[in-house]
Amino acid sequence: MSSAPAPSAPPAGMPVVFEAIVKRQALSATYNRGEVTLAPHIVYTKHGELYVDATTLDRDGKPPREVKIGAFKIAGLGSLRITPRRFEPSELFDPAEARYAGVTLLAIDR
C-alpha cells in the first residue's frame, strides 16, 4: 500500500504572488540567474508543485521578443516582490483552459 506524499509547505513568495494577481501589479523576481518582471495571471498546481502563469514584461531590463504566457515554478522565483507597475490581463490568457480545471488556486479577474 502506497501513501500519497505529504504536501510540502507553500513557497515563501505565495502571499506576494496572490497580492500581485488581486491588485494587477507586476512582480519582480530572479529567475534563471536573471531579473524578470512578470504580469501574473493565475496560480495553479501541477504534479504537486505551485506554478504561476504570467506574461514577461521584461527580462534583464529588455522587453521580450514576443508576448506569450509562460509557466513559472513559484519555488524557482527568487527575491519576489511587487512593483508599482500595473498591468491589464493578456488577450492570450484563457482561465477556462483544460489544464487549469480543478487545480486553480487564484486567477486574475477579467
Side-chain angles (χ1 to χ4, degrees):
M1 176 165 117
S2 68
S3 61
S8 56
M14 283 305 298
V16 174
V17 175
F18 283 159
E19 183 179 346
I21 289 173
V22 170
K23 292 181 175 179
R24 290 190 187 181
Q25 285 182 256
L27 288 170
S28 177
T30 305
Y31 187 72
N32 288 343
R33 296 186 299 279
E35 279 293 314
V36 292
T37 304
L38 305 172
H41 283 59
I42 189 167
V43 174
Y44 60 99
T45 59
K46 182 168 77 172
H47 308 298
E49 299 284 350
L50 293 162
Y51 284 82
V52 59
D53 278 9
T55 55
T56 301
L57 302 174
D58 66 60
R59 185 179 300 269
D60 293 324
K62 299 181 189 107
R65 285 190 295 267
E66 66 175 295
V67 177
K68 62 183 179 180
I69 301 275
F72 299 85
K73 194 173 184 178
I74 293 175
L77 294 169
S79 304
L80 264 173
R81 57 213 172 276
I82 293 178
T83 72
R85 185 173 178 179
R86 300 193 48 89
F87 67 89
E88 290 300 317
S90 170
E91 296 294 322
L92 302 173
F93 175 64
D94 180 4
E97 278 185 42
R99 66 187 170 134
Y100 301 134
V103 296
T104 298
L105 300 177
L106 180 69
I108 195 165
D109 283 335
R110 289 178 56 100

